[in-house]
Amino acid sequence: MTECQMLISKFNTKEDKIDVSKLEERINRKLPESYAKFLIKYNGGDTPNTNWNGKCKSDVRFFYGIAAKEDILESLKYEIVQNLLEKSFLPIAENCSGDFFCINLVNSKIYFSYHDKNRITLIAESFEEFISKIKSKKIGHIRTIEERRQLLLEKRGREPTAQQLKGWQDEIDEYSNINQEEVVL
């Protein structure tokens, strides 16, 4: 698979138009313009096979949206997010470990915040620079249950457990319906 610019599978929303003013009212601050435009255009989304390739290299699992599967307004109820917000950092995306990519609401720079450490690191001078250094791989062939079962038999010499089968099916269901599109700011 070849790497390309950042791909996102936008979150579905019940709203026709994303209203960032709800978020701005809730945090009592104006969003940086480039991030607000991103939310309006994409409303966050899943980003499988996606990596941040700058300082603090990491996968990027998803971007928060409004009234979405990973809802930024819902995240505000967590103490860790409240603590970040008190320091003017708004989480905008997460990696698989639960660490945050944050936008600073004062200077619009992007920071990486470890969920289990009290450490925040500057990683990009702007939202545009941040997005430009994120690379994705298109989801290609999704292995069937039978292909995965055969691979497990070959590599481990055993049949999959019921839990593995369920996990495989969940992954197949999720990725077979994903619609990736390139992020253009």
Side-chain angles (χ1 to χ4, degrees), residues 64-126:
Y64 286 103
I66 297 173
K69 176 178 141 187
E70 297 293 347
D71 193 334
I72 197 163
L73 294 167
E74 281 295 309
S75 76
L76 297 175
K77 68 183 179 184
Y78 296 106
E79 184 178 347
I80 189 169
V81 174
Q82 282 298 313
N83 291 339
L84 287 167
L85 201 51
E86 285 173 13
K87 298 172 190 162
S88 297
F89 295 105
L90 178 68
I92 59 172
E94 271 189 40
N95 68 10
C96 287
S97 299
D99 300 320
F100 299 109
F101 295 92
C102 301
I103 193 162
N104 184 284
L105 298 169
V106 175
N107 63 21
S108 301
K109 295 179 181 183
I110 306 298
Y111 293 78
F112 189 75
S113 174
Y114 297 90
H115 76 280
D116 56 350
K117 300 174 187 167
N118 192 15
R119 190 168 76 198
I120 300 172
T121 304
L122 174 66
I123 61 171
E125 292 293 321
S126 67

